[in-house]
């Protein structure tokens, strides 16, 4: 019985030394950020944040922080690009 407890305690010490628990938290954060980056439209992923003057002069290259925030908010309010269509063709 003591041997089993020693094994568990030793494993906990090894996990702590290697940073397994902290690594799992960082992995989860990195996965969430990557999933979010790949679910937003490319016009938001590829844009640069700039001032209002540059945004007016080069609307296809950059946008203001407010335009970015509003665009992302509107995108997710409208379903995030997911459209479910359960209609049956030929049936009205």
């Amino acid at each position: 019985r003591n041997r089993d407890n020693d094994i568990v305690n030793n494993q906990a010490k090894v996990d702590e030394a290697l940073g397994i628990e902290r690594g799992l938290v960082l992995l989860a954060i990195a996965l969430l950020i990557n999933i979010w980056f790949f679910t937003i439209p490319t016009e938001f992923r590829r844009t640069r944040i700039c001032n209002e003057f540059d945004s007016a002069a080069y609307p296809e290259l950059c946008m203001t922080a407010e335009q970015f925030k509003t665009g992302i908010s509107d995108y997710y309010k409208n379903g995030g690009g997911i459209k479910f269509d359960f209609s049956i063709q030929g049936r009205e």
Side-chain angles (χ1 to χ4, degrees):
R1 184 89 182 148
N2 285 336
R3 184 171 181 230
D4 291 340
N5 288 337
D6 288 344
I7 291 172
V8 170
N9 288 336
N10 286 338
Q11 185 63 42
K13 289 178 184 177
V14 169
D15 288 349
E16 184 178 334
L18 294 176
I20 298 293
E21 290 179 16
R22 287 178 290 162
L24 290 175
V25 171
L26 290 175
L27 177 65
I29 291 170
L31 285 174
L32 288 174
I33 289 171
N34 280 312
I35 289 170
W36 182 74
F37 275 134
F38 284 106
T39 58
I40 63 171
T42 55
E43 63 263 18
F44 294 110
R45 271 199 320 252
R46 295 178 181 167
T47 193
R48 291 184 309 128
I49 304 298
C50 57
N51 60 32
E52 290 180 26
F53 176 76
D54 289 338
S55 177
Y58 309 104
E60 66 280 348
L61 296 177
C62 66
M63 60 178 67
T64 64
E66 186 62 34
Q67 289 171 326
F68 184 82
K69 186 177 87 173
T70 303
I72 294 292
S73 174
D74 290 343
Y75 176 73
Y76 283 113
K77 282 180 188 174
N78 294 328
I82 298 173
K83 304 281 189 256
F84 293 106
D85 184 10
F86 296 109
S87 63
I88 299 172
Q89 293 220 329
R91 195 165 191 192
E92 297 182 38

